[in-house]
Amino acid sequence: PPFGMVFAAVACTQVLGLACLVQLGATKSLAISTVWGAVAGLPLIVVGALFFGVVGVAWAVAVSELVVLAYQARKVASLLRAADPPPIP
């Protein structure tokens, strides 16, 4: 299960990060999401490797990617809420 979760999370973060945040001019938020993923992932990967082997590392990467996904989704939603909607013709 962790490998499927990693794949799904990475696919979603690619869309939110590259297709949404970059296009909305929020490249700083994209960089911040990467830092959050590293901060969450690095200690989890070390602990996962030491205590659970490759499966622990896979779960750690999954959690790390979900952290990135959550941050990016929240930021995109915030940016879209703040945007002025176009007038209805």
Side-chain angles (χ1 to χ4, degrees):
F3 298 108
M5 191 180 305
V6 169
F7 178 78
V10 168
C12 291
T13 58
Q14 290 296 304
V15 171
L16 285 176
L18 300 177
C20 295
L21 288 174
V22 170
Q23 296 305 313
L24 292 168
T27 54
K28 182 177 178 182
S29 294
L30 179 60
I32 291 170
S33 72
T34 303
V35 171
W36 275 112
V39 167
L42 187 60
L44 289 174
I45 289 169
V46 171
V47 170
L50 290 174
F51 292 102
F52 303 106
V54 72
V55 174
V57 171
W59 278 110
V61 172
V63 169
S64 174
E65 285 299 327
L66 290 173
V67 167
V68 172
L69 178 60
Y71 179 87
Q72 288 182 356
R74 187 168 184 215
K75 190 63 180 179
V76 167
S78 172
L79 289 169
L80 292 176
R81 276 194 301 272
D84 290 329
I88 298 173

